[in-house]
Amino acid sequence: MLVVGAALVDDLAAPRRLLAARRRRPSALAGGWELPGGKVEPGEVPADALRRELREELGVQVELGAELVPHAGEGTGGLYADAGVWPLPGVGVMRVWWARVLEGEPRPLEDHDALRWLELDDWLGGVAWLPADMPVITALRAALR
């Protein structure tokens, strides 16, 4: 399965804040924090799926920036770097884009029960990220150095 995620930030050119979303369900993931996003439907373009998911989950319209593509050694074990996707063990793979809100104020409408804007210094340790999201968060933070 292909999943899409957004590194929703305050500014695409110079990000300082990142939105984290806390899962409400399923029970195995409840209470863990992740990047917002969701499943790509059959026949759907991944970028369009991400825009749709953010509209449904958070009630926002977004501008997508660059895709964050994994490189060998970024927690993918080298297995997925060549494919340009992040592994989601037991689920499939994920593609991630930088994004910023164009319209609306993010609210937890569907799969989440809380949202939190993290300041740059808190991106890695400000919340208890789900294990599959940690390599992505680490790469996002490293991309800003």
Side-chain angles (χ1 to χ4, degrees):
M1 173 188 343
L2 178 59
V3 172
V4 288
L8 200 56
V9 294
D10 56 335
D11 185 324
L12 290 173
R16 297 329 259 166
R17 297 187 327 144
L18 172 71
L19 187 74
R22 189 172 64 192
R23 294 289 307 204
R24 180 173 38 187
R25 58 180 188 267
S27 59
L29 302 177
W33 292 81
E34 67 178 1
L35 296 174
K39 299 173 190 156
V40 177
E41 300 296 333
E44 196 172 26
V45 174
D48 292 342
L50 183 54
R51 287 184 191 94
R52 175 188 52 77
E53 286 286 344
L54 296 174
R55 200 171 43 250
E56 292 172 359
E57 287 187 3
L58 305 177
V60 296
Q61 301 288 333
V62 299
E63 171 188 6
L64 297 185
E67 184 173 1
L68 182 73
V69 179
H71 302 286
E74 286 185 327
T76 65
L79 299 175
Y80 296 91
D82 291 339
V85 294
W86 299 90
L88 292 174
V91 175
V93 295
M94 179 170 59
R95 293 177 62 187
V96 176
W97 281 265
W98 292 93
R100 75 174 182 95
V101 174
L102 289 176
E103 290 182 27
E105 182 67 31
R107 298 178 324 258
L109 300 175
E110 286 191 358
D111 297 329
H112 305 102
D113 62 5
L115 302 175
R116 184 178 299 165
W117 284 103
L118 302 174
E119 297 298 327
L120 187 59
D121 289 341
D122 293 329
W123 286 19
L124 290 172
V127 295
W129 293 104
L130 292 171
D133 280 45
M134 273 307 298
V136 178
I137 303 305
T138 301
L140 288 168
R141 188 64 181 88
L144 299 180
R145 291 189 186 139

